[in-house]
Amino acid sequence: MSPRVLAALAAALLAGAALGAPDSFDARPDVRAFIDEMVQRHGFVANELEFLFRRARIREDVLRAIEPPKMPRERSWQTYRARFVNDTRIRGGVAFWSRYATTLARASREHGVPEEIIVAIIGVETLYGRQTGSFRVVDALATLAFDSPPRAAFFRSELEQYLLLARDEAFDVFSVKGSYAGAIGIPQFMPGSIRRYAVDYDGNARIDLRASPFDAIGSVGNFLRMHGWRPGEAIWAPARINGDSHRALLEAGIRPTTRVADLRGVEIVSGVTLPPEARVALIALESPAAETEYRLGLENFYVLTRYNRSSLYASAVADLAKAIRMARRASPR
């Protein structure tokens, strides 16, 4: 770690930070193995990491938050959509777009991503920077890395990326707060995504997704471009199902692999035309006591699921983006 980060750790120790507390990671073999790996692979200093893990805390609330509910509620697209496509986020999106119109136009031009998509993602993730999380990122990632077996490998990798990020950027690992899953800042990037896709968009020679909407806007655009966003192409098309021959399409998943020309039992509606060679996936948006809504997701829909691996998420972002654009057009400027 840098002298600056080490000094912050030492200051915390002098201030009376508890060592070896029952809810710390002190003296655990799996943590010891992680420390050894970080020393060997990245040249970290062992006693600095030992101190870090004595101060980091196991968060039972993180484990509760990440766990699927014991009695899961029935999935409802209508309920999910209402959480994100509503007056608060639409009005907030129009205001955010107006405030950062020049930066959004630049990001759209450079990355090929519509302004409203960038705005909608930030609106869904953090309500335009107002809800970025209250968990210490090091605690959340360490808890999930060592005490959440289903995805421990993923979170251990993100913890590694977070420590590398702290060393690269010379910030105090204990100072950063984020979501219970360790996502950071206005666009809620995981540490690995920050290191791979975040960009300095305000020209101050540093990347700050926690405080800079400019960096957040540029980074969201870059993330989508790097994951294959196709400028000028549609995201999805409405569909109607005829018979039962669509089951195989649903089982194929959300990656668009089926040519429009090869669709069977699925009809594109509302006057939308897609090229015969376009590849699509069939998306079923189900709600209790309501008719299932079907959409054909194209490549840009799949790209949105790289941000959050959920067809509900991608659908909500697309719908919020459309609503924000319509509201912006209708509002006086």
Side-chain angles (χ1 to χ4, degrees), residues 165 169 171 176 184-187 194 198-217 219:
L165 180 66
E169 301 294 331
F171 62 76
V176 180
I184 297 169
I186 296 167
I194 294 176
V199 294
D200 168 25
Y201 226 54
D202 55 15
N204 67 352
R206 60 190 295 265
I207 297 170
D208 185 0
L209 298 186
R210 290 180 286 163
S212 173
F214 307 99
D215 290 357
I217 288 167
S219 297

Side-chain angles (χ1 to χ4, degrees), residues 72-153:
R73 291 178 294 180
E74 199 168 7
R75 278 167 57 100
S76 172
W77 161 236
Q78 291 180 348
T79 300
Y80 185 93
R81 186 183 189 279
R83 286 174 53 198
F84 300 110
V85 187
N86 53 48
D87 288 344
T88 298
R89 280 183 165 81
I90 294 169
R91 287 196 304 269
V94 171
F96 185 88
W97 194 340
S98 296
R99 179 174 296 179
Y100 300 106
T102 301
T103 303
L104 284 160
R106 174 191 166 198
S108 182
R109 184 174 62 253
E110 292 180 352
H111 301 301
V113 180
E115 293 102 317
E116 65 267 26
I117 291 293
I118 297 173
V119 174
I121 284 178
I122 293 173
V124 168
E125 292 292 339
T126 63
L127 196 56
Y128 312 105
R130 282 182 263 173
Q131 300 172 351
T132 58
S134 59
F135 295 86
R136 281 198 323 190
V137 168
V138 69
D139 294 339
L141 290 176
T143 297
L144 295 170
F146 300 112
D147 285 337
S148 183
R151 298 186 66 195

Side-chain angles (χ1 to χ4, degrees), residues 15-28:
L19 300 181
D23 61 346
S24 79
F25 295 90
D26 192 31
R28 288 177 48 161

Side-chain angles (χ1 to χ4, degrees), residues 13-302:
L13 178 59
L14 292 174
L19 300 181
D23 61 346
S24 79
F25 295 90
D26 192 31
R28 288 177 48 161
D30 52 352
V31 175
R32 180 73 255 175
F34 178 82
I35 291 172
D36 291 343
E37 184 177 355
M38 294 295 287
V39 170
Q40 293 168 11
R41 290 182 61 186
H42 303 298
F44 279 84
V45 177
N47 62 4
E48 293 177 12
L49 291 180
E50 290 164 1
F51 176 77
L52 183 152
F53 282 109
R54 285 197 296 270
R55 191 179 169 204
R57 291 291 170 262
I58 300 168
R59 294 291 300 262
E60 295 295 335
D61 49 354
V62 164
L63 295 174
R64 288 193 297 270
I66 206 78
E67 280 288 315
K70 291 184 172 59
M71 297 183 64
R73 291 178 294 180
E74 199 168 7
R75 278 167 57 100
S76 172
W77 161 236
Q78 291 180 348
T79 300
Y80 185 93
R81 186 183 189 279
R83 286 174 53 198
F84 300 110
V85 187
N86 53 48
D87 288 344
T88 298
R89 280 183 165 81
I90 294 169
R91 287 196 304 269
V94 171
F96 185 88
W97 194 340
S98 296
R99 179 174 296 179
Y100 300 106
T102 301
T103 303
L104 284 160
R106 174 191 166 198
S108 182
R109 184 174 62 253
E110 292 180 352
H111 301 301
V113 180
E115 293 102 317
E116 65 267 26
I117 291 293
I118 297 173
V119 174
I121 284 178
I122 293 173
V124 168
E125 292 292 339
T126 63
L127 196 56
Y128 312 105
R130 282 182 263 173
Q131 300 172 351
T132 58
S134 59
F135 295 86
R136 281 198 323 190
V137 168
V138 69
D139 294 339
L141 290 176
T143 297
L144 295 170
F146 300 112
D147 285 337
S148 183
R151 298 186 66 195
F154 168 77
F155 286 110
R156 203 164 295 190
S157 173
E158 289 298 334
L159 178 59
E160 175 185 7
Q161 293 297 314
Y162 180 66
L163 296 178
L164 289 167
L165 180 66
R167 185 171 70 178
D168 293 345
E169 301 294 331
F171 62 76
D172 177 0
V173 292
F174 299 108
S175 69
V176 180
K177 292 185 178 180
S179 76
Y180 64 80
I184 297 169
I186 296 167
Q188 291 289 276
F189 272 25
M190 294 299 289
S193 290
I194 294 176
R195 298 190 75 226
R196 286 187 289 271
Y197 307 114
V199 294
D200 168 25
Y201 226 54
D202 55 15
N204 67 352
R206 60 190 295 265
I207 297 170
D208 185 0
L209 298 186
R210 290 180 286 163
S212 173
F214 307 99
D215 290 357
I217 288 167
S219 297
V220 171
N222 189 52
F223 179 98
L224 296 176
R225 178 180 63 84
M226 294 294 288
H227 280 82
W229 186 271
R230 296 182 178 179
E233 293 192 8
I235 298 172
W236 64 274
R240 182 184 297 119
I241 301 303
N242 300 313
D244 294 325
S245 57
H246 65 286
R247 301 294 177 190
L249 285 173
L250 289 176
E251 292 171 1
I254 61 175
R255 185 161 207 143
T257 56
T258 303
R259 296 190 318 150
V260 168
D262 296 332
L263 289 174
R264 299 293 181 269
V266 179
E267 176 187 354
I268 302 171
V269 298
S270 300
V272 176
T273 301
L274 295 178
E277 297 303 313
R279 304 274 175 168
V280 296
L282 183 60
I283 309 299
L285 301 173
E286 300 174 333
S287 301
E291 186 176 349
T292 299
E293 180 182 347
Y294 290 97
R295 299 182 176 186
L296 290 172
L298 287 91
E299 188 63 30
N300 285 341
F301 185 93
Y302 182 72

